Amino acid sequence: MKALLPLVLLLGAGAPTGAIPTAPPPPATLAEIEATAPETAWRPVAPDDLLLIDTPKGTLTIELAPGFAPEHVAAIRALVRAGAFTGGAVTRVQDNYVVQWGTKNAAKTANAPGVAATGPELPPEYERAAARVPFVPLPYPDAYAKQAGFSDGWPVATDGATTWLVHCYAMVGAGRDNPPSTGDGSELYAVIGHAPRHLDRNMAVVGRVIDGLAPFAALPRGTGALGFYATEAEKLPITKATLASDIPVMHLRPHYQVMRTDSPTFAALIAARANRREPFFLRPANGVDVCNVKIPARRVP
Amino acid sequence: MKALLPLVLLLGAGAPTGAIPTAPPPPATLAEIEATAPETAWRPVAPDDLLLIDTPKGTLTIELAPGFAPEHVAAIRALVRAGAFTGGAVTRVQDNYVVQWGTKNAAKTANAPGVAATGPELPPEYERAAARVPFVPLPYPDAYAKQAGFSDGWPVATDGATTWLVHCYAMVGAGRDNPPSTGDGSELYAVIGHAPRHLDRNMAVVGRVIDGLAPFAALPRGTGALGFYATEAEKLPITKATLASDIPVMHLRPHYQVMRTDSPTFAALIAARANRREPFFLRPANGVDVCNVKIPARRVP
């Protein structure tokens, strides 16, 4: 009968603190799991990794991934701090693929093939030695890699030798032209369609939109090649880009948390995703792909 | 050196006709394959299966799937012919999930849980006996099923005993409340996010948007529960719904083709999706999931 105990008793605020159970609790509904996740199931987003892109349509809130693409993240932080994104724009929206934005300079030359990046040349930070990356496997097959899974709040895949961030919905990468050296962080994209996993290990994934993507996914699709906007008037201006760590007034800084993917709560969430228990479902799938797990993130006071 | 021959020589208009090669040609780029596909690689969309949903934002062009959900498709055709969708509306857009629309009656009661469907009760046409369904396997693992693949121009999965249409981007299903009997075809949805495969075998998939989805995927997301529009004013009206077979003037009927998934061309396309050859790609994935293959469809004169 233990499997039928309401999850709130196991994971709720009233549960004993400090003691993280070693075995995952029984599957429950997603809503139950998220609502009752203990504080220990969340990790903070570091203020220096929290990037805010302001536009008239809202703010894209991004967690940067310095653990996977340290030089790209450093370059992006430098561009943000130099004010390069202010006056930039969203230049491209391709249906079932990506929304893309760039700095002032990048937005000017967007869709002008052959224009070289002006920033410093960055290494192809497309994958990391697997031994250096914490890894929680997803116990279902992956069409692209030996093993998919999660690492410190990120969706990843591995072939045993290296591990890489995967292109799920909302993941953010650094745009580039054909030569890998052209991705300098001045053009970024977020996935707004079915996971384009063919891009994995071909581009530097630099973060994830953890809040505010929906209005950008709803932007008009560009009519130019690859979904670039054909006219300047169509571009959505970037009014400001800020790292949370640069907001001097502490109480004005936004704070976010991402669910710890090495937590028992997340193990329960995977189980619930793979076998949905809501009354709507007649037939649980007994499987889920890495991009359909949707790692929870939340704004906290 | 054979693998380096341009595909245009193998599949182009100048190639000998009638003789379909039995082995797939060597991988090429997607653009090469689609541009040079012979006529034998395409099948027509039957006029009675071609559903046009007109709105002020454009037309959703849908191929219905009577081979998988015959009674649902019959019910949808009857609703269309009775004019039930005229005066209906798009009632729901949930980010990374679905756009949903319904008949006049359904649009009125949308997001009113507990309102029963008024149409005839339909059987749960969620899967079919595998023995009755032609099946071309996708040679890569699937996270949800024993085997994913394709059937007559549709993405499917199978457990050996039954085969079912899968919820890829652009697939169309019949909305329902918790009781399966409430899906009567008066509310339909199209997937506009990462494939929600957990819905497979839980809902009747009735077709696929083969043209015109982008403007609908770009509609503002609803602010009500589950992405329903909170006000009547937000709903996008349906001005007309038509089956191509009911367009009496023959030259005004649109004609579409879908790539035959049992063709050598499609085998080449799968290979090209799994191992992209465009100069942009440094590292082919050697894998692809069923929803990232994207079965080509095109309008023809």
Side-chain angles (χ1 to χ4, degrees):
Chain A
M1 295 307 290
K2 199 172 172 189
L4 297 175
L5 278 178
L7 196 72
V8 67
L9 294 181
L10 298 167
L11 291 177
T17 54
I20 299 178
T22 50
T29 68
L30 295 172
E32 285 169 345
I33 292 167
E34 298 196 31
T36 60
E39 279 303 314
T40 50
W42 301 88
R43 65 158 174 78
V45 174
D48 218 31
D49 295 340
L50 192 60
L51 172 59
L52 311 166
I53 309 279
D54 294 337
T55 80
K57 294 268 188 187
T59 297
L60 272 177
T61 300
I62 294 163
E63 179 177 28
L64 297 169
F68 287 88
E71 296 202 36
H72 280 77
V73 168
I76 292 164
R77 285 193 192 118
L79 287 165
V80 169
R81 289 186 166 126
F85 281 97
T86 305
V90 175
T91 55
R92 175 190 186 194
V93 186
Q94 187 171 357
D95 194 56
N96 191 15
Y97 202 43
V98 295
V99 54
Q100 188 168 320
W101 62 95
T103 60
K104 264 191 302 283
N105 287 334
K108 245 183 261 163
T109 58
N111 200 19
V115 175
T118 52
E121 188 168 325
L122 300 175
E125 297 173 314
Y126 305 161
E127 54 194 322
R128 299 195 66 196
R132 295 181 54 203
V133 181
F135 184 76
V136 174
L138 177 68
Y140 304 106
D142 186 71
Y144 299 86
K146 196 168 156 187
Q147 178 75 58
F150 303 92
S151 180
D152 196 26
W154 300 95
V156 297
T158 186
D159 63 4
T162 66
T163 300
W164 56 91
L165 291 173
V166 293
H167 277 82
C168 299
Y169 201 94
M171 293 298 282
V172 175
R176 65 168 175 85
D177 289 328
N178 286 353
S181 59
T182 53
D184 66 357
S186 64
E187 288 192 66
L188 303 173
Y189 62 88
V191 173
I192 58 161
H194 186 75
R197 296 276 308 275
H198 49 283
L199 300 178
D200 293 357
R201 290 191 283 179
N202 281 287
M203 305 192 72
V205 180
V206 300
R208 177 166 77 110
V209 179
I210 54 173
D211 200 7
L213 181 55
F216 295 84
L219 288 173
R221 279 47 180 152
T223 56
L226 306 175
F228 278 95
Y229 286 128
T231 63
E232 286 299 311
E234 291 168 275
K235 294 179 182 174
L236 176 70
I238 294 172
T239 48
K240 197 173 53 167
T242 318
L243 290 157
S245 50
D246 290 339
I247 298 175
V249 183
M250 289 298 285
H251 73 270
L252 294 181
R253 278 190 191 180
H255 294 278
Y256 281 85
Q257 293 178 329
V258 169
M259 189 174 278
R260 283 180 56 177
T261 46
D262 59 355
S263 64
T265 303
F266 191 72
L269 186 125
I270 290 176
R273 280 274 176 205
N275 285 299
R276 298 287 291 264
R277 297 292 176 103
E278 294 84 350
F280 182 85
F281 290 90
L282 310 166
R283 183 118 178 201
N286 195 28
V288 63
D289 73 272
V290 63
C291 289
N292 202 15
V293 172
K294 298 173 188 171
I295 301 165
R298 64 179 186 181
R299 187 166 181 173
V300 288
Chain B
M1 295 305 288
K2 200 174 173 187
L4 296 176
L5 278 178
L7 195 71
V8 68
L9 295 182
L10 299 167
L11 291 178
T17 54
I20 298 178
T22 50
T29 68
L30 295 173
E32 286 169 345
I33 293 167
E34 297 197 29
T36 60
E39 279 303 315
T40 50
W42 302 88
R43 65 157 174 79
V45 174
D48 218 31
D49 295 340
L50 191 60
L51 172 59
L52 311 165
I53 308 279
D54 294 338
T55 79
K57 295 270 187 183
T59 297
L60 273 178
T61 300
I62 295 164
E63 178 177 29
L64 297 169
F68 287 89
E71 296 203 35
H72 281 77
V73 167
I76 292 164
R77 287 193 192 116
L79 287 165
V80 169
R81 291 188 163 125
F85 281 98
T86 306
V90 176
T91 54
R92 175 190 184 193
V93 186
Q94 186 171 357
D95 194 56
N96 190 16
Y97 202 43
V98 295
V99 54
Q100 187 168 322
W101 63 94
T103 60
K104 265 190 301 282
N105 287 333
K108 245 183 260 166
T109 58
N111 201 20
V115 175
T118 53
E121 188 169 324
L122 300 174
E125 297 172 314
Y126 304 162
E127 53 195 320
R128 297 195 68 197
R132 296 181 53 201
V133 181
F135 184 76
V136 174
L138 176 70
Y140 303 106
D142 187 70
Y144 298 86
K146 196 168 158 187
Q147 178 75 59
F150 303 93
S151 180
D152 196 26
W154 300 96
V156 298
T158 186
D159 62 5
T162 67
T163 300
W164 55 92
L165 291 173
V166 294
H167 277 83
C168 298
Y169 201 92
M171 294 297 282
V172 175
R176 64 167 176 85
D177 289 329
N178 287 353
S181 58
T182 53
D184 65 358
S186 64
E187 289 192 63
L188 302 173
Y189 61 88
V191 172
I192 58 161
H194 185 74
R197 298 273 310 273
H198 49 284
L199 300 178
D200 294 357
R201 289 192 284 179
N202 282 285
M203 305 192 75
V205 180
V206 299
R208 178 167 77 109
V209 179
I210 55 173
D211 199 8
L213 182 54
F216 294 84
L219 288 173
R221 278 48 180 151
T223 56
L226 305 175
F228 278 94
Y229 287 129
T231 62
E232 286 300 310
E234 292 169 274
K235 295 179 183 173
L236 176 69
I238 294 172
T239 48
K240 196 172 55 167
T242 318
L243 289 158
S245 50
D246 290 338
I247 298 174
V249 184
M250 289 300 286
H251 74 268
L252 294 181
R253 279 191 191 178
H255 294 277
Y256 281 85
Q257 292 178 329
V258 169
M259 189 173 280
R260 283 180 54 177
T261 47
D262 59 355
S263 65
T265 304
F266 191 72
L269 185 125
I270 290 175
R273 279 275 177 204
N275 285 299
R276 297 288 291 264
R277 296 291 175 104
E278 294 83 351
F280 182 85
F281 291 90
L282 310 166
R283 182 118 180 202
N286 193 29
V288 64
D289 73 273
V290 63
C291 289
N292 202 16
V293 172
K294 298 172 189 171
I295 301 164
R298 63 180 187 182
R299 188 168 181 170
V300 289

